[in-house]
Amino acid sequence: MAAVKSIKHKDAPINKALSKEDKIAIFRDMCRIRRFEQVALKYYNAEKMGGFLHLYIGQESVAVGCASLMGEHDHMITAYRNHGHGLAVGMGMNECMAELYGKATGCSKGKGGSMHYFAPDKNYWGGHGIVGGQTPLGTGLAFGVKYKEQKGCCMTFMGDGAVNQGAFHESLNLAALFELPVIFIIENNGYSMGTSQKRSSAYPSCLAERAEGYGMAWELLNGEDVYEVRSRVQAAVERAHNESKPTLLEITTYRYYGHSVADSKHKDGYRTKDEIERYQRDHDPINIFRDHLLKEGVLTEEEAKEIDQTAFKEAEDSATFADQSEFPEPAEMFDDVYWEVDNGTEAGSTGRHFFND
Amino acid sequence: MRQLSYRHAIREALDEEIARDPMVVLMGEEVAQYNGAYKVSEGLWDKWGDKRIIDTPISEAGFIGMGVGASMLGVRPVMELMFWSFYTVAWDQIINNAGMVRYMSGGLINCPIVIRGPANGGTSVGATHSHTPENIMASFPGMKCVVPSNAYDAKGLLKAAIRDNDPVMFMESTVLYGEKWDVPENSELPDGELVIPLGVADVKREGTDVTLVCHGRAVITCLKAAEILEEEHGISAEVVDLRTIRPLDEETVYESVRKTHRVICVDENKPFLSVGAQLAAMIQLHCFDDLDAPVQRVNSIDTPAFYSPPIEKMQLPYPDVVVAKVLEIC
């Protein structure tokens, strides 16, 4: 069944349009995300970084598949499990790893950390820590696209744990009411931290069906095959571009690690080791796409291995870069609070902005 | 000079800024077709239409967050809260998103958004509709907070707030909406328009014996108290209107205190961590040798807002309370 479906998605026009180089780039991006996070985990465990580390490993096809569809006026915003999205839109490993290390060379100059990557120059708006809190922002980015009369959309990601937040429902209503080009994407990995979907949400057949209540188009899709992600998300992109209408997508996926690295109960706690191993064996998005490319003759085993090893080296090099980078200067605490102060404008130098003495 | 009501002055500022910058848009509950719950936006939808004046559902977290997201992309939304009291349901969007996203992104993003609406007690609408959160909003670095006391300031400060590239929390007063002040026509002004920079306080009445530091409607209270003090007690009170809480014009306050040697901070916050509490700490630090009396404060009574009209009036600072406090130290 899965094989039949994937052939269909492989042959979708949006996938047919992919060149050999495009396909290799998609594969490379997925490998880079996985290797980046494996290396990040290693140094997190070596106490090189503080705070939380929410790993995306197992879900790579979703961010990479979606990012590969983005055009000039398409935007992306997500929650705290955001390393994959950042790398997928083209952020560099060095700036991303350095941010985890809290270094001045980090993408947010060490001010954001793991949960807060941003790259507005790549239409990437974070990286947000409060569950569901980014969904109104994504709605607003779509509002901005429409207000500026651009043909674009905002892919607004969240986990399945976010769907019970009020802000999410308010966003669905506003998006449908104002006909905003926003694509809400629930990356459903089955668990809101340690609570399974069945124990946290009331829903008809699936979470995305809640869109019915707002008269919004919706779809449930399997995220393990990047071809399927691309072909079915593209329909939502076209709806946004051509009709300025929102869509709610639920993409089933799986995280191999815990909610965060500090989540000790994810193996033989709220889920079994067998379950995790089954996903790794049968549903791994990188293996699935590699098999496609081998069958298509796009890649050889050797070439696939080399791409992965290059990604691994890039990740290790980024850790070296991060390790050797300087921590921010204490005086930088006062930067990036107020635009007007940072830019030395008259407004920024009128009146007192900080109250430390 | 022509007289303009406080609400009309705000409307004029909105109208002029919408005309000046195609990115400025007004959004909120009932702002368009209903002409504004307090008629601040009356006529603007007729003039500017659906694109610039947008009715939102009663969904503060959703629409304030939507405004924040749009501002990240360069739209300059002016978001009306029907009451500032409703900030509680949009808290995460206001504080974490508008207030923190610039910092957490290392300065890659800014939010040129204004959130405005009335923030006052004294209208018998109960505790949930009577909040004055300027102290709360101003306590977050990244935020700016403006509380105009009259129509002239309201117009000039709102225009500056809309042009500012940081999030500005703009707090008005339903009690003042219908009051009128002198507001010049643009043609009467040297620059052709009225823009008052944020962070500049204004001495509303000069005096020599005591300084009353205040903002918002408390300025009106203090001006009345100053009249009583002069007429009945021969005391000359100086009234310093902060106009903006953050950024704060501390120098104008210190200058006045150094002249009068006595100071009372008057505001409609509850006393605990009020704007006056912050000022008291700053004044004692910077003007210690100039003070002839302890820094005093007058705030709303430290209980939730009472519904019953005559009782609620007693909760808010009124001129006699300010007069009595002055007489304690003069």
Side-chain angles (χ1 to χ4, degrees), chain A residues 59 78-81 131-132 134-135 156-165 168-169 185-203 206-208 210 220 248-255 259 270-271:
Chain A
Q59 305 184 200
T78 187
Y80 46 83
R81 198 177 303 287
V131 174
Q134 79 284 6
T135 55
T156 303
F157 290 84
M158 75 210 79
D160 46 300
V163 301
N164 301 316
Q165 289 279 34
F168 169 61
H169 288 268
I185 301 173
I186 305 163
E187 291 191 70
N188 188 347
N189 61 30
Y191 298 90
S192 41
M193 196 165 162
T195 306
S196 69
Q197 181 180 328
K198 285 213 157 61
R199 293 202 302 122
S200 61
S201 298
Y203 54 93
C206 67
L207 298 174
R210 287 181 175 183
L220 172 69
L248 175 57
L249 297 176
E250 176 179 352
I251 306 184
T252 54
T253 182
Y254 199 76
R255 62 167 148 83
H259 163 73
Y270 57 82
R271 59 185 192 178

Side-chain angles (χ1 to χ4, degrees), chain A residues 108-109 111 118 125 133 136 140-141 147-149 170 174 178 333 335-340 342 350 352-353, chain B residues 22 51-52 59 61-62 66 70 72-73 93 97 102-104 106-107 142-143 165-166 198 246-248 250:
Chain A
S108 294
K109 305 180 195 164
K111 288 183 167 120
F118 297 87
W125 301 92
L141 288 161
Y147 189 84
K148 292 178 169 185
E149 295 170 13
E170 295 191 31
L174 288 166
F178 292 150
M333 276 192 276
D335 298 338
D336 311 318
V337 182
Y338 293 101
W339 187 97
E340 300 287 355
D342 295 337
T350 304
R352 184 163 173 182
H353 287 75
Chain B
K51 177 151 181 159
R52 312 297 295 279
S59 182
M66 184 176 79
M72 301 192 315
L73 210 56
Q93 300 304 320
N97 288 344
R102 177 167 184 77
Y103 204 64
M104 293 204 304
M143 287 292 188
N165 286 304
D166 294 305
L198 310 188
R246 190 172 187 144
L248 182 72
E250 58 181 340

Side-chain angles (χ1 to χ4, degrees), chain B:
Chain B
M1 191 181 289
R2 70 170 177 163
Q3 291 236 309
L4 218 55
S5 70
Y6 189 99
R7 69 157 61 79
H8 194 160
I10 292 168
R11 184 187 312 147
E12 211 170 73
L14 289 168
D15 187 37
E16 288 177 17
E17 291 306 294
I18 288 168
R20 184 187 60 81
D21 183 347
M23 284 297 124
V24 175
V25 50
L26 175 67
M27 290 194 246
E29 294 154 8
E30 311 292 2
V31 298
Q33 299 191 24
Y34 191 88
N35 276 317
Y38 283 99
K39 299 287 174 272
V40 168
S41 57
E42 190 166 29
L44 293 180
W45 180 66
D46 281 340
K47 180 171 178 184
W48 294 105
D50 288 333
K51 177 151 181 159
R52 312 297 295 279
I53 313 291
I54 300 170
D55 278 327
T56 64
I58 301 171
S59 182
E60 286 86 3
F63 78 73
I64 294 287
M66 184 176 79
V68 176
S71 77
M72 301 192 315
L73 210 56
V75 179
R76 304 184 79 90
V78 180
M79 313 299 296
E80 177 169 311
L81 284 172
M82 192 183 290
F83 291 87
W84 249 105
S85 286
F86 303 160
Y87 77 100
T88 49
V89 287
W91 179 262
D92 182 47
Q93 300 304 320
I94 299 173
I95 304 301
N96 279 325
N97 288 344
M100 308 292 158
V101 75
R102 177 167 184 77
Y103 204 64
M104 293 204 304
S105 67
L108 294 173
I109 296 173
N110 66 300
C111 295
I113 190 171
V114 175
I115 303 176
R116 52 153 290 272
N120 57 280
T123 55
S124 304
V125 289
T128 60
H129 283 58
S130 303
H131 293 293
T132 53
E134 62 268 30
N135 54 336
I136 294 170
M137 290 300 147
S139 74
F140 292 98
M143 287 292 188
K144 295 181 178 178
C145 186
V146 181
V147 193
S149 67
N150 62 83
Y152 178 91
D153 288 354
K155 182 177 178 187
L157 290 166
L158 182 55
K159 284 170 69 79
I162 292 170
R163 296 175 192 195
D164 200 279
N165 286 304
D166 294 305
V168 182
M169 310 298 114
F170 194 91
M171 301 191 189
E172 303 158 12
S173 169
T174 57
V175 180
L176 300 180
Y177 276 149
E179 302 285 317
K180 290 187 171 178
W181 281 269
D182 287 348
V183 181
E185 301 271 5
N186 285 341
S187 57
E188 300 171 66
L189 292 160
D191 298 331
E193 61 177 349
L194 176 58
V195 182
I196 299 172
L198 310 188
V200 180
D202 187 38
V203 178
K204 287 286 192 286
R205 178 189 173 111
E206 291 197 6
T208 52
D209 299 331
V210 63
T211 298
L212 304 175
V213 188
C214 43
H215 63 270
R217 190 166 66 119
V219 174
I220 311 305
T221 306
C222 288
L223 287 170
K224 281 184 193 147
E227 273 175 37
I228 297 168
L229 285 164
E230 182 167 349
E231 283 166 18
E232 298 179 14
H233 305 281
I235 292 171
S236 166
E238 178 147 302
V239 178
V240 177
D241 180 355
L242 295 172
R243 298 204 287 202
T244 67
I245 310 303
R246 190 172 187 144
L248 182 72
D249 179 0
E250 58 181 340
E251 284 309 322
T252 299
V253 174
Y254 302 155
E255 227 170 84
S256 179
V257 173
R258 284 172 191 140
K259 180 172 74 175
T260 65
H261 310 294
R262 287 174 172 80
V263 59
I264 301 176
C265 305
V266 184
D267 65 69
E268 297 193 0
N269 281 152
K270 307 296 177 193
F272 195 93
L273 303 179
S274 66
V275 171
Q278 172 66 26
L279 284 167
M282 293 168 70
I283 293 166
Q284 66 81 24
L285 181 67
H286 292 275
C287 305
F288 189 74
D289 291 334
D290 298 291
L291 288 167
D292 287 343
V295 180
Q296 294 280 3
R297 296 190 295 144
V298 173
N299 289 96
S300 292
I301 299 291
D302 197 18
T303 57
F306 210 118
Y307 158 68
S308 183
I311 308 298
E312 193 198 7
K313 282 198 174 58
M314 295 165 64
Q315 289 183 302
L316 293 163
Y318 51 97
D320 288 350
V321 182
V322 179
V323 169
K325 189 64 83 176
V326 169
L327 294 178
E328 279 179 30
I329 58 168
C330 281

Side-chain angles (χ1 to χ4, degrees), chain A residues 63-78:
Chain A
V64 173
C66 290
S68 70
L69 299 170
M70 285 168 69
E72 188 187 354
H73 298 301
D74 296 318
H75 298 262
M76 189 183 272
I77 188 167
T78 187

Side-chain angles (χ1 to χ4, degrees), chain A residues 12-326:
Chain A
I14 191 74
N15 289 328
K16 282 267 198 195
L18 289 171
S19 67
K20 184 181 167 188
E21 288 71 31
D22 294 335
K23 290 179 182 181
I24 293 171
I26 286 172
F27 178 70
R28 181 183 298 118
D29 280 347
M30 290 201 286
C31 292
R32 288 176 69 245
I33 292 169
R34 180 158 307 181
R35 288 306 192 181
F36 174 86
E37 290 207 316
Q38 286 172 340
V39 169
L41 174 61
K42 182 170 96 180
Y43 292 109
Y44 181 87
N45 287 333
E47 298 183 354
K48 288 283 189 182
M49 43 190 98
F52 305 128
L53 190 70
H54 303 92
L55 298 176
Y56 194 65
I57 291 176
Q59 305 184 200
E60 295 90 340
S61 49
V62 182
V64 173
C66 290
S68 70
L69 299 170
M70 285 168 69
E72 188 187 354
H73 298 301
D74 296 318
H75 298 262
M76 189 183 272
I77 188 167
T78 187
Y80 46 83
R81 198 177 303 287
N82 72 146
H83 309 150
H85 304 77
L87 292 171
V89 298
M91 292 178 77
M93 278 199 198
N94 281 357
E95 55 175 329
C96 288
M97 192 66 81
E99 188 62 27
L100 301 181
Y101 276 63
K103 298 297 180 74
T105 52
C107 50
S108 294
K109 305 180 195 164
K111 288 183 167 120
S114 166
M115 301 191 287
H116 307 113
Y117 286 5
F118 297 87
D121 61 322
K122 297 176 175 64
N123 291 0
Y124 181 56
W125 301 92
H128 295 266
I130 303 295
V131 174
Q134 79 284 6
T135 55
L137 298 184
T139 308
L141 288 161
F143 176 94
V145 167
K146 187 173 183 182
Y147 189 84
K148 292 178 169 185
E149 295 170 13
Q150 296 165 335
K151 193 168 184 162
C153 70
C154 183
M155 297 177 183
T156 303
F157 290 84
M158 75 210 79
D160 46 300
V163 301
N164 301 316
Q165 289 279 34
F168 169 61
H169 288 268
E170 295 191 31
S171 299
L172 291 183
N173 181 58
L174 288 166
L177 182 72
F178 292 150
E179 299 191 325
L180 299 177
V182 56
I183 305 170
F184 297 104
I185 301 173
I186 305 163
E187 291 191 70
N188 188 347
N189 61 30
Y191 298 90
S192 41
M193 196 165 162
T195 306
S196 69
Q197 181 180 328
K198 285 213 157 61
R199 293 202 302 122
S200 61
S201 298
Y203 54 93
S205 68
C206 67
L207 298 174
E209 198 180 348
R210 287 181 175 183
E212 290 284 341
Y214 300 97
M216 188 189 296
W218 62 275
E219 206 172 359
L220 172 69
L221 56 138
N222 188 333
E224 68 190 37
D225 185 345
V226 76
Y227 280 143
E228 176 167 353
V229 172
R230 278 174 50 83
S231 76
R232 296 178 78 175
V233 174
Q234 177 63 17
V237 171
E238 284 169 15
R239 184 176 296 117
H241 285 187
N242 302 328
E243 302 170 46
S244 190
K245 290 246 174 84
T247 306
L248 175 57
L249 297 176
E250 176 179 352
I251 306 184
T252 54
T253 182
Y254 199 76
R255 62 167 148 83
Y256 295 173
Y257 291 87
H259 163 73
S260 73
V261 175
D263 173 8
S264 60
K265 289 195 172 156
H266 81 101
K267 264 187 205 168
D268 287 328
Y270 57 82
R271 59 185 192 178
T272 63
K273 217 173 152 186
D274 283 353
E275 177 183 303
I276 301 167
E277 284 169 1
R278 182 160 45 81
Y279 271 92
Q280 288 173 325
R281 190 180 61 238
D282 301 333
H283 302 281
D284 184 83
I286 296 181
N287 288 344
I288 288 171
F289 196 58
R290 188 191 56 211
D291 290 349
H292 276 307
L293 299 189
L294 294 179
K295 265 186 228 154
E296 292 173 32
V298 170
L299 278 181
T300 64
E301 288 264 13
E302 260 323 292
E303 286 166 337
K305 207 169 278 176
E306 196 185 315
I307 287 169
D308 182 49
Q309 283 308 304
T310 306
F312 188 30
K313 184 174 182 307
E314 185 188 358
E316 280 289 1
D317 288 348
S318 76
T320 306
F321 170 83
D323 202 37
Q324 290 172 352
S325 290
E326 299 293 330

